[in-house]
Amino acid sequence: MVNHPHQPPVDGPLNHYAYVHRLLHWLIAVLVLYSLTSGMTLGSLGFEGSVDTFGRTATDTIYTLHKTSGVLILVLMVLRLVSRLTNGKPPYAVPLPTLHRLASTLVHALLYVLLLAMPVLGWLATAAGDFPVQFFAWNLPGLIGVDEALSETLFVWHGRVGVLILLLAALHIAAALYHWLIRKDGVMARMSLFRH
């Protein structure tokens, strides 16, 4: 029997992502929220403006945590990609219309690519600008030589990718709310941390 949107969804363990995949999703979401917020704040104020607004110690901490969150996003996204390839994608409790399914696939694919690209661009831009690539109290290898012009270009693209992620995340959240509040088709449950 095939469910229709107006019928209660058939729910079960096979309709959820593997728990590790769901955990990675929410950890990355929190880190991305901080990265975008801190990155846009630092980008709009600049270093001197940040120091004037928050003080030197707080500014240094914000920069360090921004870089640290970027490294964590990169590592967790690699783990998430491995999880996705290993555990696969569960079926929908209620089949999605073709257009919804294609849009979902495209948005998810773009988010994967951009969330891998953003921290890499930030890492390389930081190193090229002769700034430390920090992970908490440790400095990581820069991977490339100092090149101020290249650093500026990479920082521009780092920011552009951040804006694209923000737009796609907003679309992703809007779609999730649509499925949860309007269609009520069980899509939100696929990523719930409260399902085992």
Coordinates of all heavy atoms in Angstrom, one line a residue, residues 102-136:
L102 N 14.1 16.1 -6.6 CA 15.2 16.6 -7.4 C 15.8 17.9 -6.7 O 17.0 18.0 -6.6 CB 14.8 17.0 -8.8 CG 14.4 15.8 -9.7 CD1 13.9 16.3 -11.0 CD2 15.7 14.9 -9.9
A103 N 14.9 18.7 -6.2 CA 15.4 19.9 -5.5 C 16.2 19.6 -4.2 O 17.2 20.2 -4.0 CB 14.2 20.8 -5.2
S104 N 15.7 18.6 -3.5 CA 16.4 18.1 -2.3 C 17.7 17.6 -2.6 O 18.7 17.9 -1.9 CB 15.5 17.1 -1.6 OG 16.2 16.5 -0.5
T105 N 17.8 16.8 -3.7 CA 19.1 16.2 -4.1 C 20.1 17.3 -4.5 O 21.3 17.3 -4.1 CB 18.9 15.2 -5.2 OG1 18.0 14.2 -4.8 CG2 20.2 14.6 -5.7
L106 N 19.6 18.3 -5.2 CA 20.5 19.4 -5.7 C 21.0 20.2 -4.5 O 22.2 20.5 -4.4 CB 19.8 20.3 -6.7 CG 20.5 21.5 -7.2 CD1 21.8 21.0 -7.9 CD2 19.6 22.3 -8.1
V107 N 20.1 20.6 -3.6 CA 20.5 21.4 -2.4 C 21.5 20.7 -1.6 O 22.5 21.3 -1.1 CB 19.2 21.9 -1.7 CG1 19.6 22.5 -0.3 CG2 18.4 22.9 -2.5
H108 N 21.2 19.4 -1.3 CA 22.1 18.6 -0.4 C 23.5 18.5 -1.1 O 24.5 18.6 -0.4 CB 21.5 17.3 -0.1 CG 20.5 17.3 1.0 ND1 19.1 17.4 0.7 CD2 20.6 17.2 2.3 CE1 18.5 17.4 1.8 NE2 19.3 17.3 2.8
A109 N 23.5 18.2 -2.4 CA 24.8 18.1 -3.1 C 25.6 19.4 -3.0 O 26.8 19.4 -2.7 CB 24.6 17.6 -4.5
L110 N 24.9 20.5 -3.3 CA 25.6 21.8 -3.2 C 26.1 22.1 -1.8 O 27.2 22.6 -1.6 CB 24.7 22.9 -3.7 CG 24.4 23.0 -5.2 CD1 23.3 24.0 -5.5 CD2 25.6 23.3 -6.0
L111 N 25.3 21.8 -0.8 CA 25.8 22.0 0.6 C 27.0 21.2 0.9 O 27.9 21.7 1.6 CB 24.6 21.7 1.6 CG 23.6 22.8 1.7 CD1 22.4 22.4 2.5 CD2 24.2 24.1 2.4
Y112 N 27.0 19.9 0.5 CA 28.2 19.1 0.7 C 29.4 19.7 0.1 O 30.5 19.8 0.8 CB 28.0 17.7 0.2 CG 27.4 16.7 1.1 CD1 26.0 16.7 1.4 CD2 28.1 15.7 1.8 CE1 25.4 15.8 2.3 CE2 27.6 14.8 2.6 CZ 26.2 14.8 2.9 OH 25.7 13.9 3.8
V113 N 29.3 20.1 -1.1 CA 30.5 20.7 -1.9 C 30.9 22.0 -1.2 O 32.1 22.2 -0.9 CB 30.1 20.9 -3.3 CG1 31.2 21.7 -4.0 CG2 29.9 19.6 -4.1
L114 N 30.0 22.8 -0.9 CA 30.3 24.1 -0.3 C 30.9 24.0 1.1 O 31.8 24.8 1.5 CB 29.1 25.1 -0.4 CG 28.7 25.4 -1.8 CD1 27.4 26.3 -1.7 CD2 29.7 26.2 -2.6
L115 N 30.3 23.1 1.9 CA 30.8 23.0 3.2 C 32.2 22.3 3.3 O 32.9 22.4 4.3 CB 29.8 22.2 4.1 CG 28.5 22.9 4.4 CD1 27.5 22.0 5.1 CD2 28.8 24.1 5.4
L116 N 32.6 21.6 2.2 CA 33.9 21.2 2.1 C 34.9 22.3 1.6 O 36.0 22.4 2.1 CB 34.0 19.9 1.2 CG 33.4 18.6 1.8 CD1 33.3 17.6 0.7 CD2 34.4 18.1 2.9
A117 N 34.3 23.0 0.7 CA 35.2 24.1 0.0 C 35.4 25.3 1.0 O 36.5 25.8 1.0 CB 34.5 24.6 -1.2
M118 N 34.4 25.7 1.7 CA 34.6 26.9 2.6 C 35.7 26.8 3.5 O 36.6 27.7 3.6 CB 33.3 27.2 3.3 CG 33.4 28.5 4.1 SD 31.8 28.9 4.9 CE 31.6 27.6 6.2
P119 N 35.9 25.7 4.4 CA 37.0 25.7 5.3 C 38.4 25.5 4.6 O 39.4 26.1 5.0 CB 36.7 24.5 6.2 CG 35.7 23.7 5.4 CD 34.9 24.6 4.6
V120 N 38.4 24.9 3.4 CA 39.6 24.7 2.7 C 40.1 26.1 2.2 O 41.2 26.5 2.3 CB 39.5 23.8 1.5 CG1 40.7 23.8 0.6 CG2 39.3 22.3 2.0
L121 N 39.1 26.9 1.6 CA 39.4 28.2 1.2 C 39.9 29.1 2.3 O 40.9 29.9 2.2 CB 38.2 28.9 0.5 CG 37.8 28.3 -0.9 CD1 36.4 28.9 -1.2 CD2 38.8 28.8 -1.9
G122 N 39.2 29.0 3.5 CA 39.7 29.8 4.6 C 41.0 29.4 5.1 O 41.9 30.3 5.5
W123 N 41.3 28.1 5.1 CA 42.7 27.6 5.5 C 43.7 28.2 4.6 O 44.7 28.7 5.1 CB 42.6 26.1 5.5 CG 43.8 25.4 6.0 CD1 45.2 25.7 5.9 CD2 43.8 24.2 6.8 NE1 46.0 24.8 6.5 CE2 45.2 23.8 7.1 CE3 42.8 23.3 7.2 CZ2 45.5 22.7 7.8 CZ3 43.2 22.2 8.0 CH2 44.5 21.9 8.2
L124 N 43.5 28.0 3.3 CA 44.5 28.5 2.4 C 44.7 30.0 2.4 O 45.8 30.6 2.3 CB 44.2 28.0 1.0 CG 44.2 26.5 0.8 CD1 43.8 26.1 -0.6 CD2 45.6 25.9 1.1
A125 N 43.5 30.7 2.5 CA 43.6 32.2 2.5 C 44.3 32.7 3.8 O 45.1 33.6 3.7 CB 42.2 32.8 2.6
T126 N 44.1 32.0 4.9 CA 44.8 32.4 6.1 C 46.3 32.2 6.0 O 47.1 33.0 6.4 CB 44.3 31.5 7.3 OG1 42.9 31.8 7.4 CG2 45.0 31.9 8.6
A127 N 46.7 31.0 5.5 CA 48.1 30.7 5.3 C 48.8 31.6 4.3 O 49.9 32.1 4.6 CB 48.3 29.2 4.9
A128 N 48.1 31.9 3.2 CA 48.7 32.8 2.2 C 48.9 34.2 2.7 O 49.7 34.9 2.3 CB 47.8 32.8 1.0
G129 N 48.0 34.6 3.7 CA 48.1 35.9 4.3 C 49.1 36.0 5.4 O 49.3 37.0 6.1
D130 N 49.8 34.9 5.7 CA 50.8 34.8 6.7 C 50.2 34.9 8.1 O 50.8 35.4 9.0 CB 51.9 35.8 6.5 CG 53.2 35.4 7.3 OD1 53.4 34.2 7.6 OD2 54.0 36.3 7.6
F131 N 49.0 34.4 8.2 CA 48.3 34.3 9.5 C 48.3 32.9 10.0 O 48.4 31.9 9.2 CB 46.9 34.8 9.4 CG 46.7 36.2 8.9 CD1 46.1 36.4 7.6 CD2 47.2 37.3 9.6 CE1 46.0 37.7 7.1 CE2 47.0 38.6 9.1 CZ 46.5 38.7 7.8
P132 N 48.3 32.6 11.3 CA 48.3 31.2 11.8 C 47.0 30.5 11.5 O 45.9 31.1 11.7 CB 48.5 31.4 13.3 CG 48.0 32.8 13.6 CD 48.3 33.6 12.4
V133 N 47.1 29.3 11.1 CA 45.9 28.4 10.9 C 45.7 27.7 12.3 O 46.4 26.7 12.6 CB 46.1 27.4 9.8 CG1 44.9 26.5 9.6 CG2 46.4 28.1 8.5
Q134 N 44.8 28.2 13.1 CA 44.7 27.8 14.4 C 43.6 26.7 14.6 O 42.5 26.8 14.0 CB 44.4 28.9 15.4 CG 45.5 30.0 15.4 CD 45.0 31.3 16.0 OE1 44.2 32.0 15.4 NE2 45.5 31.6 17.2
F135 N 43.9 25.8 15.5 CA 42.9 24.8 15.9 C 43.0 24.7 17.4 O 43.9 24.1 18.0 CB 43.2 23.4 15.3 CG 42.2 22.4 15.7 CD1 40.9 22.4 15.2 CD2 42.5 21.3 16.6 CE1 40.0 21.4 15.6 CE2 41.6 20.4 17.0 CZ 40.3 20.4 16.5
F136 N 42.1 25.5 18.1 CA 42.2 25.7 19.5 C 43.6 26.4 19.8 O 43.9 27.4 19.3 CB 42.0 24.5 20.4 CG 40.6 24.0 20.2 CD1 40.3 22.8 19.5 CD2 39.5 24.7 20.8 CE1 38.9 22.4 19.4 CE2 38.2 24.2 20.8 CZ 37.9 23.1 20.0

